[in-house]
């Protein structure tokens, strides 16, 4: 994948335990003939505390910790939802907005409750995704992607994960959870970040042996 001969990558490791993300990366990378592994395959990998104030900081923390642990090139994804009427919340706290136990249903309920009475045109929001690629003990590169939309008043659709059932995508006139995985993977914040990563992939590596 990612272009030039001699730098062919057949497998990538995504430093995530989120099964929804893993599925999306598997679909995104399948087109490139690349197999995706995640922390669901490396159960003893350390837990990384997300202490950063930005998506990029958290992505770097996760990528570098796991890359150093496995001594392999690792990609980490830190992502979330920013709602304008909530001053950008839940932001970096998207996964644990309603509590440390991470519950998508409760997170959605909290956002909908906080937006009660806010008219549709003021319910603008965007998904953010920061992808960090860490080459162990050498360098880390970050790219970011976004996806613009509105927070609906009710949930619709069963695909995707997280806040997808309340994230309305105007150009599709559907929520993200009503889109097929192929459709989501064309327009999502994650797909947009990955497109940027693809463009700079060859520049990340100095020498061939760094890519196994
Ligand atoms: O509706 C959604 N569609 C998406 O496409 C999406 N991408 C991210 N999110 C939300 O943001 C949190 C990430 O937080 P996060 O980056 O810390 O990931 P996580 O804690 O779930 O797993 P890990 O990668 O850290 O192991 C997730 O849990 C979700 O709530 C999304 N919601
Ligand atoms: Mg997390």
């Amino acid at each position: 994948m990612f272009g030039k001969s001699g730098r062919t990558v057949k497998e990538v490791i995504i430093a995530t335990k989120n099964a929804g993300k893993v599925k999306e990366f598997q679909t995104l990378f399948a087109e490139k003939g690349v197999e995706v592994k995640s922390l669901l395959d490396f159960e003893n990998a350390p837990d990384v505390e997300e202490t950063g104030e930005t998506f990029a900081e958290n992505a770097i923390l996760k990528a570098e910790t796991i890359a150093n642990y496995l001594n392999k090139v690792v990609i980490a994804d830190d992502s979330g939802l920013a709602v304008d009427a909530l001053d950008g919340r839940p932001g970096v706290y998207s996964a644990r907005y309603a509590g440390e136990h991470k519950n998508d249903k409760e997170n959605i309920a909290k956002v909908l409750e906080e937006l009660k009475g806010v008219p549709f045109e003021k319910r603008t929001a965007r998904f953010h995704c920061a992808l960090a690629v860490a080459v162990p003990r050498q360098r880390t590169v970050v790219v970011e992607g976004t996806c613009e939309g509105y927070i609906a008043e009710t949930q619709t659709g069963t695909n995707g994960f997280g806040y997808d059932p309340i994230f309305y995508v105007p150009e599709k006139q559907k929520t993200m959870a009503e889109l097929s995985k192929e459709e989501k993977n064309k327009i999502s914040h994650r797909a947009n970040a990955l497109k940027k990563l693809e463009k700079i992939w060859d520049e990340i590596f100095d020498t061939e042996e760094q890519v196994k």
Side-chain angles (χ1 to χ4, degrees), residues 11-68:
E11 175 192 294
V12 294
I13 298 167
I14 316 283
T16 183
K17 290 183 178 163
N18 180 318
K21 287 185 191 175
V22 175
K23 270 195 205 156
E24 288 187 17
F25 279 114
Q26 275 166 344
T27 310
L28 284 160
F29 278 103
E31 296 161 10
K32 307 173 202 301
V34 177
E35 202 186 316
V36 168
K37 285 202 172 151
S38 73
L39 298 186
L40 304 174
D41 303 301
F42 297 97
E43 287 178 357
N44 296 327
D47 261 330
V48 185
E49 235 194 301
E50 295 172 16
T51 52
E53 284 176 14
T54 62
F55 298 109
E57 279 172 28
N58 283 333
I60 292 168
L61 271 175
K62 292 190 270 192
E64 289 184 346
T65 310
I66 303 302
N68 290 343

Side-chain angles (χ1 to χ4, degrees), residues 15-18 21 24 50 62 77-81 92 94-95 102 104 107 127 161-165 184 189-190:
T16 183
K17 290 183 178 163
N18 180 318
K21 287 185 191 175
E24 288 187 17
E50 295 172 16
K62 292 190 270 192
D77 166 315
D78 200 72
S79 45
L81 177 69
V92 291
S94 291
K102 287 193 183 172
D104 287 344
N107 289 340
F127 278 125
F161 68 99
Y163 298 90
D164 282 341
K184 180 178 175 186
H189 45 312
R190 192 158 291 110

Side-chain angles (χ1 to χ4, degrees), residues 8 15 23 33 40 45 58 74 82 84 92 96 110 115-116 118 144 169 174 189 193 195-196:
T8 309
K23 270 195 205 156
L40 304 174
N58 283 333
V74 162
D84 292 323
V92 291
R96 45 201 154 120
K110 185 168 175 183
L115 284 177
K116 253 195 185 148
V118 177
E144 302 202 54
V169 184
K174 284 178 182 172
H189 45 312
K195 279 177 209 152
K196 290 191 193 167

Side-chain angles (χ1 to χ4, degrees), residues 1-208:
M1 80 159 175
F2 293 151
K4 295 179 187 162
S5 61
R7 290 183 176 173
T8 309
V9 178
K10 295 222 169 71
E11 175 192 294
V12 294
I13 298 167
I14 316 283
T16 183
K17 290 183 178 163
N18 180 318
K21 287 185 191 175
V22 175
K23 270 195 205 156
E24 288 187 17
F25 279 114
Q26 275 166 344
T27 310
L28 284 160
F29 278 103
E31 296 161 10
K32 307 173 202 301
V34 177
E35 202 186 316
V36 168
K37 285 202 172 151
S38 73
L39 298 186
L40 304 174
D41 303 301
F42 297 97
E43 287 178 357
N44 296 327
D47 261 330
V48 185
E49 235 194 301
E50 295 172 16
T51 52
E53 284 176 14
T54 62
F55 298 109
E57 279 172 28
N58 283 333
I60 292 168
L61 271 175
K62 292 190 270 192
E64 289 184 346
T65 310
I66 303 302
N68 290 343
Y69 170 77
L70 294 175
N71 201 26
K72 284 180 188 243
V73 175
V74 162
I75 301 175
D77 166 315
D78 200 72
S79 45
L81 177 69
V83 180
D84 292 323
L86 302 179
D87 296 325
R89 295 195 310 276
V92 291
Y93 302 106
S94 291
R96 45 201 154 120
Y97 196 43
E100 279 304 320
H101 54 286
K102 287 193 183 172
N103 181 313
D104 287 344
K105 259 192 184 163
E106 289 177 19
N107 289 340
I108 285 179
K110 185 168 175 183
V111 169
L112 290 183
E113 179 62 32
E114 290 184 326
L115 284 177
K116 253 195 185 148
V118 177
F120 184 75
E121 66 273 14
K122 292 200 174 138
R123 297 169 79 102
T124 49
R126 66 205 52 74
F127 278 125
H128 279 268
C129 174
L131 293 181
V133 184
V135 183
R137 283 169 269 274
Q138 294 210 11
R139 67 176 69 184
T140 304
V141 175
V142 186
V143 291
E144 302 202 54
T146 57
C147 178
E148 298 283 334
Y150 291 81
I151 303 303
E153 285 182 13
T154 53
Q155 303 184 45
T156 322
T158 52
N159 299 331
F161 68 99
Y163 298 90
D164 282 341
I166 58 167
F167 191 85
Y168 182 81
V169 184
E171 59 268 34
K172 298 281 182 189
Q173 298 191 20
K174 284 178 182 172
T175 69
M176 204 68 122
E178 291 179 288
L179 301 183
S180 67
K181 64 180 179 186
E182 289 80 13
E183 285 175 306
K184 180 178 175 186
N185 277 344
K186 278 194 190 127
I187 59 153
S188 79
H189 45 312
R190 192 158 291 110
N192 289 335
L194 198 58
K195 279 177 209 152
K196 290 191 193 167
L197 186 58
E198 232 172 308
K199 286 195 186 136
I200 59 162
W201 185 261
D202 287 317
E203 293 162 28
I204 297 174
F205 304 98
D206 281 327
T207 59
E208 311 260 317

